[in-house]
Amino acid sequence: MHLRSPAGRSFRLGFHDVTGSDPGELLTVGPGLAVALVALALTGAAVAWLGRTGYGPAILGSTARATVQLALLGMALTMIVRSLWLTAAFVLLMGVTAGWTAARRIVGRRPRWSELAATTGAVAGPAALLTVALITTGVLPARGIAVIPVAGSAIGAAMAGAGLAGRRALEELTARRGELEAGLALGLNPRFVRLELARAASSTALIPALDQTRTVGLVTIPGAFVGMVLGGASPLAAAVMQLYVLVAILCVTPIAVVAVTWLAADGRYDAGAPNY
């Protein structure tokens, strides 16, 4: 039920709906939102601390970093998308940052240059090739506003998959060292033995991407879809774009997972994979 005041403002019973507000806003920006964000971060960190997960401080640190990074991105994005050179530089920065994050997650310390280079290639390489191919074939416009989200979604998914796959591979090699040594004692190829031991565990990194794709539209409504619809795009165009993003993730994530598993089996990450 709507009520209209003499001043021309529209109200819905139970909800304050001012017609002059931005229809594209999903959240009302103001002190209430700031309080909600702080409360959410503190609650997540507190539960993680009480549960002795060891990730309580990481939740607070990640929240603070995200706040600063998104603020800087919001101020710089308008300038970046106007230039293809700046767009390319920004995508390169995204790739290196993703490679660093995944490599550090895998080895649990500051990665060496060789580890960083190998992981960045596995994480950002497929996404970069995919983006170039789409631009070359005319599927993706050669504009920053289109290139950055497409490349970023693929790089981000590959980063998450690679970090989890590499970590699980090294943990499995460490836990099953006796089996590894038994296989080597039989004269089997070291890389073959490590792959056989680590492959199943590292492959679980594909599960989040698979579940996300299987349940899209039923369990989750992606932010990109909602944003496009609120921005004026038709629901069909938004659905096609979101479908592309999900399928692209299912393309680059297995590449990153398999590549990082091979790197771990080849002893490129020194923890858990000794060079016999």
Side-chain angles (χ1 to χ4, degrees), residues 70-96:
L70 287 175
L72 293 176
L73 176 62
M75 292 185 290
L77 192 59
T78 303
M79 179 181 64
I80 293 173
V81 298
R82 292 177 180 174
S83 168
L84 279 180
W85 288 109
L86 290 178
T87 296
F90 187 72
V91 172
L92 177 62
L93 175 63
M94 285 195 296
V96 174

Side-chain angles (χ1 to χ4, degrees), residues 69-166:
Q69 289 167 187
L70 287 175
L72 293 176
L73 176 62
M75 292 185 290
L77 192 59
T78 303
M79 179 181 64
I80 293 173
V81 298
R82 292 177 180 174
S83 168
L84 279 180
W85 288 109
L86 290 178
T87 296
F90 187 72
V91 172
L92 177 62
L93 175 63
M94 285 195 296
V96 174
T97 303
W100 172 275
T101 303
R104 187 164 185 173
R105 180 67 62 194
I106 292 170
V107 298
R109 53 168 171 75
R110 181 185 295 271
R112 301 192 304 263
W113 283 109
S114 59
E115 295 167 338
L116 174 61
T119 309
T120 301
V123 168
L129 292 176
L130 176 62
T131 304
V132 171
L134 290 174
I135 294 175
T136 303
T137 56
V139 175
L140 181 68
R143 301 196 305 268
I145 195 64
V147 171
I148 289 176
V150 168
S153 62
I155 292 174
M159 173 191 71
L164 180 57

Side-chain angles (χ1 to χ4, degrees), residues 144-189:
I145 195 64
V147 171
I148 289 176
V150 168
S153 62
I155 292 174
M159 173 191 71
L164 180 57
R167 187 182 182 99
R168 289 292 296 116
L170 294 187
E171 289 174 349
E172 196 74 359
L173 290 173
T174 300
R176 303 175 67 179
R177 187 177 297 275
E179 296 175 62
L180 171 60
E181 293 177 350
L184 297 177
L186 293 173
L188 298 177
N189 181 276

